[in-house]
mmCIF file of all heavy atoms in Angstrom:
data_model
loop_
_atom_site.group_PDB
_atom_site.id
_atom_site.type_symbol
_atom_site.label_atom_id
_atom_site.label_comp_id
_atom_site.label_asym_id
_atom_site.label_seq_id
_atom_site.Cartn_x
_atom_site.Cartn_y
_atom_site.Cartn_z
ATOM 1 N N SER A 263 -10.846 -14.725 -11.209
ATOM 2 C CA SER A 263 -11.141 -15.459 -9.979
ATOM 3 C C SER A 263 -10.264 -15.092 -8.787
ATOM 4 O O SER A 263 -10.780 -15.033 -7.672
ATOM 5 C CB SER A 263 -11.128 -16.968 -10.218
ATOM 6 O OG SER A 263 -9.859 -17.407 -10.579
ATOM 7 N N PRO A 264 -8.975 -14.820 -8.938
ATOM 8 C CA PRO A 264 -8.226 -14.447 -7.737
ATOM 9 C C PRO A 264 -8.743 -13.173 -7.085
ATOM 10 O O PRO A 264 -8.626 -12.994 -5.890
ATOM 11 C CB PRO A 264 -6.800 -14.239 -8.254
ATOM 12 C CG PRO A 264 -6.726 -15.051 -9.480
ATOM 13 C CD PRO A 264 -8.094 -14.983 -10.083
ATOM 14 N N ILE A 265 -9.356 -12.322 -7.867
ATOM 15 C CA ILE A 265 -9.862 -11.067 -7.339
ATOM 16 C C ILE A 265 -11.179 -11.260 -6.604
ATOM 17 O O ILE A 265 -11.414 -10.690 -5.559
ATOM 18 C CB ILE A 265 -10.039 -10.058 -8.497
ATOM 19 C CG1 ILE A 265 -8.694 -9.820 -9.181
ATOM 20 C CG2 ILE A 265 -10.631 -8.749 -7.999
ATOM 21 C CD1 ILE A 265 -8.804 -9.154 -10.514
ATOM 22 N N LEU A 266 -12.046 -12.096 -7.149
ATOM 23 C CA LEU A 266 -13.393 -12.196 -6.615
ATOM 24 C C LEU A 266 -13.745 -13.525 -5.987
ATOM 25 O O LEU A 266 -14.361 -13.581 -4.943
ATOM 26 C CB LEU A 266 -14.395 -11.892 -7.746
ATOM 27 C CG LEU A 266 -15.871 -12.053 -7.441
ATOM 28 C CD1 LEU A 266 -16.288 -11.095 -6.339
ATOM 29 C CD2 LEU A 266 -16.695 -11.804 -8.687
ATOM 30 N N VAL A 267 -13.326 -14.605 -6.580
ATOM 31 C CA VAL A 267 -13.900 -15.890 -6.189
ATOM 32 C C VAL A 267 -12.910 -16.919 -5.660
ATOM 33 O O VAL A 267 -13.227 -18.100 -5.627
ATOM 34 C CB VAL A 267 -14.681 -16.500 -7.370
ATOM 35 C CG1 VAL A 267 -15.829 -15.636 -7.772
ATOM 36 C CG2 VAL A 267 -13.772 -16.779 -8.546
ATOM 37 N N MET A 268 -11.754 -16.485 -5.228
ATOM 38 C CA MET A 268 -10.746 -17.436 -4.780
ATOM 39 C C MET A 268 -11.301 -18.369 -3.699
ATOM 40 O O MET A 268 -11.205 -19.583 -3.809
ATOM 41 C CB MET A 268 -9.508 -16.714 -4.261
ATOM 42 C CG MET A 268 -8.363 -17.649 -3.973
ATOM 43 S SD MET A 268 -6.860 -16.860 -3.349
ATOM 44 C CE MET A 268 -6.843 -15.283 -4.101
ATOM 45 N N ARG A 269 -11.895 -17.803 -2.681
ATOM 46 C CA ARG A 269 -12.439 -18.631 -1.606
ATOM 47 C C ARG A 269 -13.621 -19.457 -2.093
ATOM 48 O O ARG A 269 -13.797 -20.602 -1.678
ATOM 49 C CB ARG A 269 -12.882 -17.751 -0.447
ATOM 50 C CG ARG A 269 -11.737 -17.059 0.229
ATOM 51 C CD ARG A 269 -12.215 -16.177 1.344
ATOM 52 N NE ARG A 269 -11.141 -15.282 1.731
ATOM 53 C CZ ARG A 269 -11.319 -14.119 2.303
ATOM 54 N NH1 ARG A 269 -12.534 -13.706 2.570
ATOM 55 N NH2 ARG A 269 -10.302 -13.370 2.623
ATOM 56 N N PHE A 270 -14.416 -18.868 -2.944
ATOM 57 C CA PHE A 270 -15.604 -19.549 -3.437
ATOM 58 C C PHE A 270 -15.226 -20.759 -4.303
ATOM 59 O O PHE A 270 -15.797 -21.834 -4.165
ATOM 60 C CB PHE A 270 -16.457 -18.555 -4.226
ATOM 61 C CG PHE A 270 -17.791 -19.078 -4.631
ATOM 62 C CD1 PHE A 270 -18.750 -19.385 -3.683
ATOM 63 C CD2 PHE A 270 -18.105 -19.263 -5.959
ATOM 64 C CE1 PHE A 270 -19.993 -19.859 -4.048
ATOM 65 C CE2 PHE A 270 -19.338 -19.739 -6.336
ATOM 66 C CZ PHE A 270 -20.285 -20.040 -5.382
ATOM 67 N N LEU A 271 -14.220 -20.583 -5.178
ATOM 68 C CA LEU A 271 -13.829 -21.667 -6.077
ATOM 69 C C LEU A 271 -13.197 -22.843 -5.343
ATOM 70 O O LEU A 271 -13.276 -23.975 -5.800
ATOM 71 C CB LEU A 271 -12.868 -21.155 -7.157
ATOM 72 C CG LEU A 271 -13.508 -20.319 -8.252
ATOM 73 C CD1 LEU A 271 -12.443 -19.796 -9.200
ATOM 74 C CD2 LEU A 271 -14.542 -21.096 -9.022
ATOM 75 N N ARG A 272 -12.554 -22.570 -4.214
ATOM 76 C CA ARG A 272 -11.961 -23.651 -3.441
ATOM 77 C C ARG A 272 -13.014 -24.649 -2.989
ATOM 78 O O ARG A 272 -12.736 -25.823 -2.814
ATOM 79 C CB ARG A 272 -11.258 -23.095 -2.203
ATOM 80 C CG ARG A 272 -9.923 -22.511 -2.482
ATOM 81 C CD ARG A 272 -9.250 -22.147 -1.177
ATOM 82 N NE ARG A 272 -8.421 -20.984 -1.390
ATOM 83 C CZ ARG A 272 -8.266 -19.996 -0.549
ATOM 84 N NH1 ARG A 272 -8.886 -20.006 0.602
ATOM 85 N NH2 ARG A 272 -7.495 -18.986 -0.826
ATOM 86 N N LYS A 273 -14.214 -24.158 -2.750
ATOM 87 C CA LYS A 273 -15.260 -24.978 -2.163
ATOM 88 C C LYS A 273 -16.147 -25.673 -3.193
ATOM 89 O O LYS A 273 -16.990 -26.463 -2.822
ATOM 90 C CB LYS A 273 -16.134 -24.120 -1.251
ATOM 91 C CG LYS A 273 -15.379 -23.550 -0.083
ATOM 92 C CD LYS A 273 -16.247 -22.660 0.752
ATOM 93 C CE LYS A 273 -15.443 -22.038 1.875
ATOM 94 N NZ LYS A 273 -16.215 -21.093 2.636
ATOM 95 N N MET A 274 -16.005 -25.338 -4.435
ATOM 96 C CA MET A 274 -16.919 -25.942 -5.400
ATOM 97 C C MET A 274 -16.177 -26.708 -6.478
ATOM 98 O O MET A 274 -15.043 -26.430 -6.792
ATOM 99 C CB MET A 274 -17.816 -24.893 -6.012
ATOM 100 C CG MET A 274 -17.118 -23.843 -6.815
ATOM 101 S SD MET A 274 -18.324 -22.611 -7.280
ATOM 102 C CE MET A 274 -17.654 -22.082 -8.810
ATOM 103 N N SER A 275 -16.830 -27.651 -7.048
ATOM 104 C CA SER A 275 -16.233 -28.472 -8.087
ATOM 105 C C SER A 275 -16.644 -27.961 -9.457
ATOM 106 O O SER A 275 -17.491 -27.080 -9.588
ATOM 107 C CB SER A 275 -16.684 -29.920 -7.918
ATOM 108 O OG SER A 275 -18.073 -29.995 -8.160
ATOM 109 N N LYS A 276 -16.070 -28.538 -10.486
ATOM 110 C CA LYS A 276 -16.426 -28.149 -11.844
ATOM 111 C C LYS A 276 -17.893 -28.433 -12.133
ATOM 112 O O LYS A 276 -18.546 -27.685 -12.852
ATOM 113 C CB LYS A 276 -15.543 -28.878 -12.847
ATOM 114 C CG LYS A 276 -14.134 -28.373 -12.900
ATOM 115 C CD LYS A 276 -13.351 -29.038 -13.998
ATOM 116 C CE LYS A 276 -11.952 -28.489 -14.049
ATOM 117 N NZ LYS A 276 -11.182 -29.055 -15.156
ATOM 118 N N SER A 277 -18.411 -29.483 -11.566
ATOM 119 C CA SER A 277 -19.816 -29.801 -11.816
ATOM 120 C C SER A 277 -20.727 -28.733 -11.215
ATOM 121 O O SER A 277 -21.759 -28.389 -11.790
ATOM 122 C CB SER A 277 -20.168 -31.179 -11.271
ATOM 123 O OG SER A 277 -19.992 -31.219 -9.879
ATOM 124 N N TYR A 278 -20.340 -28.199 -10.067
ATOM 125 C CA TYR A 278 -21.131 -27.153 -9.449
ATOM 126 C C TYR A 278 -21.087 -25.889 -10.304
ATOM 127 O O TYR A 278 -22.102 -25.220 -10.495
ATOM 128 C CB TYR A 278 -20.617 -26.882 -8.034
ATOM 129 C CG TYR A 278 -21.468 -25.922 -7.242
ATOM 130 C CD1 TYR A 278 -22.816 -26.185 -7.007
ATOM 131 C CD2 TYR A 278 -20.925 -24.759 -6.719
ATOM 132 C CE1 TYR A 278 -23.597 -25.311 -6.278
ATOM 133 C CE2 TYR A 278 -21.700 -23.890 -5.984
ATOM 134 C CZ TYR A 278 -23.038 -24.169 -5.767
ATOM 135 O OH TYR A 278 -23.800 -23.303 -5.043
ATOM 136 N N LEU A 279 -19.908 -25.561 -10.839
ATOM 137 C CA LEU A 279 -19.783 -24.410 -11.723
ATOM 138 C C LEU A 279 -20.644 -24.614 -12.967
ATOM 139 O O LEU A 279 -21.279 -23.681 -13.446
ATOM 140 C CB LEU A 279 -18.315 -24.186 -12.107
ATOM 141 C CG LEU A 279 -17.999 -22.947 -12.920
ATOM 142 C CD1 LEU A 279 -18.418 -21.684 -12.176
ATOM 143 C CD2 LEU A 279 -16.522 -22.887 -13.241
ATOM 144 N N ALA A 280 -20.683 -25.838 -13.472
ATOM 145 C CA ALA A 280 -21.515 -26.135 -14.635
ATOM 146 C C ALA A 280 -22.995 -25.924 -14.324
ATOM 147 O O ALA A 280 -23.763 -25.510 -15.192
ATOM 148 C CB ALA A 280 -21.271 -27.559 -15.105
ATOM 149 N N GLU A 281 -23.407 -26.181 -13.089
ATOM 150 C CA GLU A 281 -24.793 -25.949 -12.689
ATOM 151 C C GLU A 281 -25.094 -24.456 -12.562
ATOM 152 O O GLU A 281 -26.209 -24.022 -12.839
ATOM 153 C CB GLU A 281 -25.093 -26.618 -11.356
ATOM 154 C CG GLU A 281 -25.153 -28.121 -11.425
ATOM 155 C CD GLU A 281 -25.378 -28.739 -10.057
ATOM 156 O OE1 GLU A 281 -25.889 -28.059 -9.152
ATOM 157 O OE2 GLU A 281 -25.023 -29.901 -9.904
#
Side-chain angles (χ1 to χ4, degrees):
S263 64
I265 300 165
L266 175 62
V267 298
M268 188 180 328
R269 294 179 195 155
F270 188 66
L271 286 176
R272 281 187 212 142
K273 297 177 183 175
M274 63 187 211
S275 66
K276 287 186 179 183
S277 62
Y278 187 58
L279 186 59
E281 289 177 22

